[in-house]
Amino acid sequence: MTAQNKQERLLDVKGLTVEIDGRRGPAVVVDGIDLYVGKGETLGVVGESGCGKSLTMLSLMRLLPNKIKVTKGTAEFNGRDLQTMSNRELRKVRGGDIGFVFQDPMTSLNPVMKVGDQLCEPLIYHRKMSKADARKRAVELLRLVGIPGPEERLDAYPHELSGGMRQRVMIAIGLACDPKLLIADEPTTALDVTIQAQIVDLVKDLRNKLGMSVVWITHDLALIAGLADRVVVLYAGTVVEDAPVDDLYANPSHPYTRGLLASIPTLSDAPAARLSSIGGTPPEPGRRPAGCPFAPRCPLAMDICLREVPKLEPISSEGRHRAACFAVNTALKAA
Amino acid sequence: MTLVQTNPIITDDEPPVSLWRDAWHRLKRNKLAIFGLCVIVVLAFAAVFGPYLTPFDFLSQDLDARNQAPSLLHLFGTDDLGRDVFSRVVYGTRTAFLVAVVVTAIALAIGTTLGAIAGFFGDPYDRVIMWLTDMTMSVPNLLLVVVINASLKNPIAKWMEAQYMATLNPFYRETIWIDFFLVFGSMALISWPPYARLVRAQVLSIRSRPYITAAMALGLPNRIIMMRYVVPNALGPLIVSVSAGLGTAMVLESAFSFLGVGVNPPTPSWGNMISDGLRVWQHYPHLLAAPAFVLGLASVAFSFLGDGLNDALNPRGSK
Ligand SMILES: Nc1ncnc2c1ncn2[C@@H]1O[C@H](COP(=O)(O)OP(=O)(O)OP(=O)(O)O)[C@@H](O)[C@H]1O
Ligand code: SF4
Ligand SMILES: [Mg+2]
């Protein structure tokens, strides 16, 4: 058996499909996504803005806004389907087993509640802690995420903290109940580069200390190079490539992934080499082409690409590197 | 792991204890709001205890001392029946607060319920409720009130009279109840739509804020999310509009009295005193000035307090 099957899966998503009820009828935003996260593994989820990264994660936890619905698929956490479990059970998983760190630290904290109280709330509710114990634990958590003077910060309102501090508070809230899985949705987009690096280091450190699994969503491939064990590349609501991180950098296969990597400036690159970033924009949900969603922007597009949807297929002998592209698969068979 | 200490946080001089205490700290620094609050406290005191403390009864006439100018004995002078204007203004405060509090409470109850249903459950409730709101707002206020009065006052008065004849219960002789019923009822009927709209908008906008999703992602039950995340964020604007609404209700009652559809004499209200005073103001300006001044003061006080509360309850805002 291959390595991927031996590794125990903490989160296993199969065929997840999400639709938006728009004015022009329903539009598929997340189109039958398969992904999994092993125990202790860190998964990077990469893709351009609007490709459905956030909606995928929100739909796992049944947190989608009105008019956006999961229409197909399962999402098993520790062997139990999150999509069909009762609200009561789901509430235990939310915040208890799965911690969530949201994209925007400016709007994801309750503006009229002190950060200490926001930190204590899940502890009191899930862990049945007393107010005093919860506050002690909150101080520990703030210290853990590197906030100086945590005792005083407990009584600060979110607007009294800088963006980086707020992001750390969000991470502390996500970690409050020692989750088995931390889902971080672009936790560093709003921050400047130095703080980004600090937060990445921080999560790496915490993951090693606490042994949890992490899903780190980003549109920045360079950022997760040193953090993720495995990377899933999303395009227009589908998985186009899934590979161990080293494999992905050494041997990117899907034309979209190659385009993404080419648009990362590296020190050794000649200026001309960087310009090969992908032209055009991803298709809007509801206006996706019939065949391969990437076809309109793909330099390798063939006839079949316009008619049929490529499946995610193994392209390396261990089967851990998979891609959804006719060109790649034909090349493999020919070889 | 190396962590650079970034932007130190800004803390208040005193460590805040709760949102409300915090808001109170900010409110204390706002002089106009504190002025408004003081005026309201004094007026409220007058409304509750005033009638027991004034030197004269608001009804007792002294025909030898009619239309007197203000003096030490009669602080605001006397009216055409020789009644002490100060005592009447004080009693009018009670009427004003009664009208304002009852009307605002009814309007708030109707408005909050309808607004929350519309915002929370959406269509079809939303559509029906918003239609009702727009309809009510599009009818000219005074017209509505005059129509209600004209059509209901006589039937009710007749019914009360009949009840009195049948039971001899003196309660049915108190025409003041008809006034209050009609005044309260019609004022509440025109005052609820702004509350409904406000609450609906608040619920709608707060429900889709990221921090609500974040709270749900923490697995907190709806009860806690409602009480600690939705309500406190919706409350600020509502408190502000209630404070302003109390002042508006007092002014509205005066406008009604002026049209003869408010609280009727002999029960003193600032409104009916102003409307009486207007007839003779060239000769006895104090009869107009006294109630008008107090009404203006009350209305300004409520709006200062409302503005102050708005700033105080919003910790994000600049100070
Ligand atoms: N509340 C919503 N109503 C309608 N459409 C939405 C809503 N939220 C997201 N979408 C659409 O769904 C698609 C996927 O959105 P999603 O937020 O998952 O993207 P993303 O990959 O997280 O992008 P970003 O990197 O910008 O966060 C986008 O095209 C977006 O326009
Ligand atoms: S399937 Fe065709 S269009 Fe799609 S990425 Fe591969 S080559 Fe390009
Ligand atoms: Mg997103």
Side-chain angles (χ1 to χ4, degrees), chain B residues 39-51 54 76 85-101 250 253 268-271 273 290-291 294-295 298 302:
Chain B
V39 169
I40 291 165
V41 168
V42 170
L43 288 177
F45 181 83
V48 178
F49 301 109
T54 50
F76 291 169
V85 175
F86 180 73
S87 307
R88 291 182 63 74
V89 167
V90 168
Y91 198 92
T93 309
R94 176 178 279 192
T95 312
F97 269 79
L98 198 62
V99 172
V101 169
M250 291 182 178
E253 190 279 323
S269 87
W270 296 339
M273 292 176 73
V294 180
L295 172 65
F302 276 110

Side-chain angles (χ1 to χ4, degrees), chain A residues 19-321:
Chain A
E19 290 182 17
I20 298 186
D21 239 347
R23 260 171 260 117
R24 281 176 278 117
V28 176
V29 234
V30 174
D31 195 356
I33 279 187
D34 289 324
L35 56 80
Y36 65 90
V37 188
K39 290 204 168 136
E41 186 182 41
T42 299
L43 176 73
V45 176
V46 192
E48 276 166 297
S49 191
C51 70
K53 304 182 295 291
S54 300
L55 289 186
T56 303
M57 294 309 149
L58 289 175
S59 65
L60 290 184
M61 309 271 284
R62 301 191 350 219
L63 289 169
L64 291 173
N66 271 348
K67 310 213 165 181
I68 305 188
K69 296 212 161 53
V70 173
T71 50
K72 265 182 252 152
T74 56
E76 285 185 0
F77 180 79
N78 257 340
R80 287 153 67 228
D81 187 6
L82 296 169
Q83 299 301 314
T84 51
M85 71 171 49
S86 70
N87 284 330
R88 217 185 140 83
E89 280 179 298
L90 183 68
R91 269 208 296 276
K92 279 188 204 144
V93 174
R94 289 176 179 173
D97 292 332
I98 302 182
F100 223 108
V101 179
F102 282 87
Q103 193 160 359
D104 185 359
M106 300 301 169
T107 57
S108 300
L109 291 169
N110 182 354
V112 301
M113 201 168 165
K114 280 181 233 153
V115 296
D117 291 338
Q118 302 193 47
L119 207 44
C120 289
E121 210 65 74
L123 293 168
I124 293 170
Y125 181 70
H126 288 294
R127 289 288 141 92
K128 312 281 176 251
M129 282 189 186
S130 70
K131 181 92 202 205
D133 288 348
R135 272 179 83 85
K136 263 184 232 149
R137 169 86 175 128
V139 171
E140 269 171 43
L141 283 163
L142 289 183
R143 191 171 290 130
L144 189 72
V145 296
I147 291 185
E151 286 88 355
E152 297 93 76
R153 260 48 165 207
L154 281 186
D155 288 323
Y157 286 101
H159 76 277
E160 295 172 326
L161 302 174
S162 67
M165 286 297 151
R166 271 188 251 191
Q167 194 64 69
R168 285 163 201 250
V169 170
M170 297 263 299
I171 294 176
I173 293 176
L175 293 172
C177 297
D178 301 314
K180 299 188 180 79
L181 173 67
L182 182 74
I183 300 179
D185 187 353
E186 309 203 41
T188 60
T189 359
L191 310 176
D192 68 57
V193 184
T194 8
I195 301 175
Q196 277 191 11
Q198 287 172 26
I199 303 253
V200 170
D201 282 346
L202 168 71
V203 170
K204 226 169 14 179
D205 202 61
L206 293 174
R207 174 196 60 188
N208 296 340
K209 262 189 217 154
L210 309 173
M212 63 187 174
S213 306
V214 177
V215 174
W216 186 284
I217 301 174
T218 180
H219 51 236
D220 185 350
L221 258 176
L223 187 79
I224 50 162
L227 177 69
D229 300 313
R230 197 158 56 81
V231 176
V232 162
V233 181
L234 292 189
Y235 183 77
T238 59
V239 177
V240 296
E241 188 157 3
D242 174 352
V245 68
D246 298 334
D247 252 5
L248 192 84
Y249 283 90
N251 184 21
S253 303
H254 196 280
Y256 177 63
T257 316
R258 279 189 249 164
L260 282 182
L261 282 171
S263 54
I264 299 172
T266 59
L267 286 176
S268 59
D269 264 356
R274 295 192 209 160
L275 296 176
S276 57
S277 59
I278 320 155
T281 51
E284 272 175 53
R287 293 197 186 169
R288 285 174 186 164
C292 171
F294 190 56
R297 300 167 77 187
C298 181
L300 305 179
M302 307 170 289
D303 280 352
I304 186 175
C305 307
L306 302 175
R307 282 180 277 112
E308 282 174 46
V309 184
K311 285 201 191 66
L312 193 63
E313 284 176 80
I315 59 167
S316 73
S317 47
E318 304 97 56
R320 295 202 57 195
H321 190 161

Side-chain angles (χ1 to χ4, degrees), chain B residues 24 29 36 65 116 200 319:
Chain B
W24 171 236
R29 277 181 241 141
R200 172 179 178 270
K319 289 161 204 165

Side-chain angles (χ1 to χ4, degrees), chain B residues 21-142:
Chain B
R21 190 172 295 187
D22 222 31
W24 171 236
H25 280 300
R26 277 189 292 267
L27 188 68
K28 272 198 304 199
R29 277 181 241 141
N30 184 334
K31 294 206 175 60
L32 285 180
I34 290 302
F35 165 76
L37 187 63
C38 293
V39 169
I40 291 165
V41 168
V42 170
L43 288 177
F45 181 83
V48 178
F49 301 109
Y52 309 112
L53 303 177
T54 50
F56 297 92
D57 180 61
F58 67 93
L59 278 177
S60 71
Q61 306 177 358
D62 179 358
L63 295 179
D64 295 333
R66 298 190 311 183
N67 295 325
Q68 282 188 358
S71 64
L72 270 183
L73 184 60
H74 299 288
L75 278 179
F76 291 169
T78 59
D79 67 4
D80 56 346
L81 295 173
R83 296 175 298 193
D84 179 45
V85 175
F86 180 73
S87 307
R88 291 182 63 74
V89 167
V90 168
Y91 198 92
T93 309
R94 176 178 279 192
T95 312
F97 269 79
L98 198 62
V99 172
V101 169
V102 173
V103 167
T104 305
I106 299 174
L108 191 65
I110 302 176
T112 308
T113 311
L114 292 182
I117 292 174
F120 209 81
F121 296 103
D123 282 336
Y125 306 96
D126 193 20
R127 195 167 302 203
V128 173
I129 290 171
M130 282 304 106
W131 176 81
L132 203 65
T133 311
D134 292 341
M135 283 292 292
T136 313
M137 286 182 95
S138 65
V139 177
N141 286 352
L142 292 176

Side-chain angles (χ1 to χ4, degrees), chain B residues 65-295:
Chain B
R66 298 190 311 183
N67 295 325
Q68 282 188 358
S71 64
L72 270 183
L73 184 60
H74 299 288
L75 278 179
F76 291 169
T78 59
D79 67 4
D80 56 346
L81 295 173
R83 296 175 298 193
D84 179 45
V85 175
F86 180 73
S87 307
R88 291 182 63 74
V89 167
V90 168
Y91 198 92
T93 309
R94 176 178 279 192
T95 312
F97 269 79
L98 198 62
V99 172
V101 169
V102 173
V103 167
T104 305
I106 299 174
L108 191 65
I110 302 176
T112 308
T113 311
L114 292 182
I117 292 174
F120 209 81
F121 296 103
D123 282 336
Y125 306 96
D126 193 20
R127 195 167 302 203
V128 173
I129 290 171
M130 282 304 106
W131 176 81
L132 203 65
T133 311
D134 292 341
M135 283 292 292
T136 313
M137 286 182 95
S138 65
V139 177
N141 286 352
L142 292 176
L143 182 70
L144 189 72
V145 173
V146 171
V147 168
I148 290 174
N149 267 276
S151 54
L152 288 183
K153 192 153 191 168
N154 276 332
I156 296 181
K158 280 206 187 101
W159 179 80
M160 297 271 279
E161 192 58 30
Q163 291 297 311
Y164 176 68
M165 288 308 180
T167 62
L168 289 181
N169 185 339
F171 170 82
Y172 293 107
R173 264 282 153 94
E174 291 274 6
T175 53
I176 183 74
W177 297 117
I178 309 181
D179 287 348
F180 276 153
F181 177 76
L182 285 175
V183 172
F184 289 160
S186 47
M187 283 178 63
L189 214 57
I190 59 176
S191 304
W192 65 266
Y195 295 116
R197 286 195 167 177
L198 180 68
V199 170
R200 172 179 178 270
Q202 286 288 309
V203 171
L204 275 181
S205 97
I206 291 170
R207 218 178 45 155
S208 64
R209 303 235 176 112
Y211 58 81
I212 298 299
T213 309
M216 279 163 42
L218 281 178
L220 301 178
N222 290 340
R223 167 176 48 88
I224 291 184
I225 294 180
M226 265 323 256
M227 296 314 294
R228 306 213 51 186
Y229 290 76
V230 178
V231 170
N233 279 290
L235 220 49
L238 200 60
I239 288 179
V240 173
S241 99
V242 165
S243 174
L246 289 167
T248 311
M250 291 182 178
V251 174
L252 205 59
E253 190 279 323
S254 300
F256 286 4
S257 287
F258 187 67
L259 293 176
V261 291
V263 176
N264 282 337
T267 307
S269 87
W270 296 339
N272 63 35
M273 292 176 73
I274 290 173
S275 105
D276 288 347
L278 267 173
R279 281 184 225 122
V280 293
W281 71 270
Q282 289 96 334
H283 309 292
Y284 310 113
H286 65 274
L287 294 185
L288 174 61
F293 173 75
V294 180
L295 172 65

